[in-house]
Amino acid sequence: MHAIASWWDSVELWVAGLPFVPQFAVVLAAMVPVCLAIAYLLDRTLRVALRVAGRDRIAAREAAVPAAQPQRIRKEAA
């Protein structure tokens, strides 16, 4: 565990020592995939949890009573 912590510290110091534009690019290149992965995993987890709880969109749509369709009024030519 100490080796991982020292490696992380060295990476952190390397990024902190970069000028702003390369630092921004490195952080952006690292954080965008991480954030996308976290969002994907949260989406899947919540979808499964809502499906188990019976509160997903499909279950709600199947449980809803179909609304009566309005009757169309035909206009007759004069």
Side-chain angles (χ1 to χ4, degrees), residues 39-66:
Y40 178 79
L41 291 173
L42 282 173
D43 179 57
R44 293 294 171 189
T45 303
L46 287 173
R47 185 175 296 176
V48 169
L50 290 173
R51 185 173 297 138
V52 168
R55 303 209 23 128
D56 60 342
R57 291 183 193 170
I58 296 170
R61 201 177 311 136
E62 289 174 354
V65 177

Side-chain angles (χ1 to χ4, degrees), residues 4 8 10-11 16 20-21 24 26-27 31-32 34 36 40-41 45-49 53-54 63 68 72 75:
I4 295 172
W8 182 254
S10 64
V11 170
F20 176 73
V21 173
F24 179 75
V26 167
V27 170
M31 290 309 294
V32 167
V34 170
L36 287 174
Y40 178 79
L41 291 173
T45 303
L46 287 173
R47 185 175 296 176
V48 169
R72 294 186 181 185
K75 293 183 181 179

